[in-house]
Amino acid sequence: MRKMTIKFQDVATELAQINAQRDGVMERAFSVLEERHATLAAMLVQSLGDRQRAVRWMCRHQNAFGGRTAYELISDGEEDAIWDEIALMSEAPVAARVHSARMAY
């Protein structure tokens, strides 16, 4: 059996490419959200403090959504659940809102 050698530089390069693709998809998805659900997107940006946090929040698997993302809720016709979560975030102190937008990746 031949032993395979992993070059960590290759791994790092590939991960960087994957992350760049992922970031691009997240940006395009949020742009579509801004076109199709402008009020929702604007309220999310306002609630979280900036667009980049909103972009990431939409892709984050949320406990409040049963482990689904906000995009999955929209595709399932459950946009009201997102509005409810935005309302809860708006009632929370600013520090709690910023913390809720942090992602584990």
Side-chain angles (χ1 to χ4, degrees), residues 9-53:
Q9 182 58 45
D10 293 343
V11 172
T13 300
E14 190 171 351
L15 287 171
Q17 292 169 345
I18 291 167
N19 282 327
Q21 284 182 314
R22 182 177 165 278
D23 290 345
V25 169
M26 290 169 55
E27 284 290 331
R28 287 191 303 277
F30 200 79
S31 292
V32 171
L33 182 71
E34 290 172 319
E35 291 173 13
R36 296 185 185 171
H37 301 274
T39 305
L40 176 68
M43 286 301 296
L44 191 56
V45 169
Q46 181 179 344
S47 294
L48 293 173
D50 68 41
R51 187 177 185 278
Q52 195 58 39
R53 283 189 179 115

Side-chain angles (χ1 to χ4, degrees), residues 29-30 33 37 40-41 44 48 53-86 89 103 105:
F30 200 79
L33 182 71
H37 301 274
L40 176 68
L44 191 56
L48 293 173
R53 283 189 179 115
V55 167
R56 294 192 178 282
W57 187 89
M58 285 295 296
C59 296
R60 182 178 171 198
H61 294 271
Q62 306 280 345
N63 288 336
F65 303 150
R68 297 182 291 168
T69 68
Y71 289 120
E72 290 171 311
L73 265 64
I74 290 172
S75 70
D76 292 340
E78 299 177 41
E79 185 179 327
D80 289 344
I82 300 168
W83 279 108
D84 292 344
E85 192 63 22
I86 291 171
M89 284 189 300
M103 299 183 70
Y105 48 110

